[in-house]
Amino acid sequence: VGGYKEGGSFPVHLANAVTCIDAHKSNSSLVLTGGADSKVVLFNVATGQQAAKMEGHTKAINRVLLHPTAGTAFSCSADKTVRAWAADGKAVHTWKQHKKDVTGLSLHATGDYLVSASMDATWAFYDIATGTCRKSVSTEGAGFSVATFHPDGLILGTGLADGTVAVWDVKSQANALSFAAHKDGVVSLAFSENGYSLATCGKDGCNVWDLRKVAKQGADAAAVKTFAGASSSAVFDYSGSYIAVGSDKDLAVYMCKTWADVLHVKGAHKAAVTGVAWGPDAQFIATSGKDKCVKVFK
């Protein structure tokens, strides 16, 4: 990973900012991107060709997800909707549970369920096969800016627009824990695959939390590591060896536990990095940016 260099730069959304990205968990050629142009694109980074374009949203895309096995894709948008797409780009489901921007989207560990979260302070739980919304949960306070399932599937981590992280018991929908994570909104939230670590991003940096300590500290939780600088996205690789962080225009990779600097690409993008995703087995890192580019580092 320390020797990774830029291996491709693609204007996937033409003259529009690329707002989010996800990489397929087993197919090392496919990434899914969302744009300010309201389009979702399945892109083959090996050939540099578009594999499918998904059209139907009417405002900027906030999050995209690729299903690891089913060939389906998911997106949420500022147009207040969540959509599911077939591999050929045809719309499968459109969910209209929310009243404001949908900002969070996460796939359950089973691959059978999806959760969305919105700036209207609600989160919703969907059965993907039937297309039904099983549960919609309304909360008091600030809207949600991000939502991610824990790998065990039993808890849901959410980031709020006021900088709080709120953790929910999925079965009871009860708020299990809340703590102040950032001074401003939480823009990214990711768990490590072993479930022990959580990374959150905000304008004041990227914070890494040890959930075993957080469980004891409660509202007084303290980060075990902070990477300075406004950060937009942080994600652990599947093995839990590395954490990749997009901050300002840069891409950085650190070794987990020692936090040693493994890779630092200054000016990875010409404008702000909006998303970071690991390819299968950390074969590559894909990034999206406001400079209208998707980049691959390998």
Side-chain angles (χ1 to χ4, degrees):
V1 174
Y4 281 7
K5 293 185 171 56
E6 187 179 314
S9 179
F10 311 101
V12 178
H13 293 261
L14 303 176
N16 297 278
V18 189
T19 52
C20 47
I21 192 165
D22 189 31
H24 199 279
K25 298 292 182 284
S26 58
N27 185 327
S28 59
S29 301
L30 294 177
V31 300
L32 187 71
T33 64
D37 58 359
S38 77
K39 311 284 193 297
V40 176
V41 175
L42 183 65
F43 193 80
N44 187 316
V45 292
T47 63
Q49 300 295 313
Q50 179 178 296
K53 185 187 268 189
M54 300 147 191
E55 299 183 275
H57 284 293
T58 57
K59 289 186 178 177
I61 311 299
N62 287 326
R63 310 268 173 197
V64 289
L65 290 176
L66 273 171
H67 195 285
T69 55
T72 43
F74 307 93
S75 56
C76 67
S77 165
D79 68 5
K80 308 175 194 170
T81 70
V82 176
R83 292 178 186 252
W85 311 88
D88 62 1
K90 290 193 174 68
V92 181
H93 300 300
T94 300
W95 292 290
K96 300 179 179 178
Q97 289 300 126
H98 299 291
K99 296 184 176 71
K100 289 185 180 176
D101 286 34
V102 189
T103 48
L105 200 61
S106 185
L107 199 59
H108 191 262
T110 57
D112 296 334
Y113 305 101
L114 184 74
V115 78
S116 64
S118 167
M119 291 301 282
D120 66 3
T122 66
W123 57 269
F125 188 79
Y126 310 93
D127 182 315
I128 294 168
T130 62
T132 52
C133 177
R134 287 281 188 87
K135 187 69 73 173
S136 182
V137 180
S138 296
T139 66
E140 301 293 323
F144 295 113
S145 45
V146 62
T148 309
F149 276 117
H150 188 272
D152 70 7
L154 301 176
I155 63 171
L156 174 70
T158 57
L160 276 63
D162 65 0
T164 302
V165 165
V167 178
W168 307 85
D169 179 300
V170 174
K171 278 187 179 170
S172 68
Q173 293 93 52
N175 179 205
L177 174 73
S178 291
F179 60 93
H182 293 277
K183 292 183 181 127
D184 288 300
V186 182
V187 295
S188 171
L189 186 152
F191 293 101
S192 60
E193 198 55 40
N194 67 10
Y196 293 146
S197 298
L198 170 70
T200 60
C201 291
K203 287 180 185 170
D204 53 357
C206 170
N207 290 331
V208 182
W209 313 82
D210 183 328
L211 291 173
R212 294 162 294 189
K213 291 180 180 175
V214 168
K216 293 175 186 163
Q217 294 165 335
D220 300 321
V224 293
K225 181 66 182 175
T226 297
F227 300 108
S231 302
S232 58
S233 182
V235 62
F236 297 94
D237 79 308
Y238 189 81
S239 73
S241 303
Y242 305 108
I243 180 171
V245 182
S247 66
D248 193 24
K249 300 171 189 173
D250 304 344
L251 168 67
V253 179
Y254 303 96
M255 189 71 77
C256 291
K257 298 193 176 92
T258 67
W259 313 117
D261 200 329
V262 177
L263 176 72
H264 216 104
V265 186
K266 284 268 186 204
H269 285 262
K270 289 177 181 160
V273 175
T274 57
V276 177
W278 286 97
D281 303 320
Q283 290 173 33
F284 66 84
I285 303 166
T287 58
S288 57
K290 288 188 177 174
D291 61 355
K292 308 162 192 166
C293 288
V294 166
K295 297 201 175 191
V296 176
F297 297 87
K298 59 185 180 178

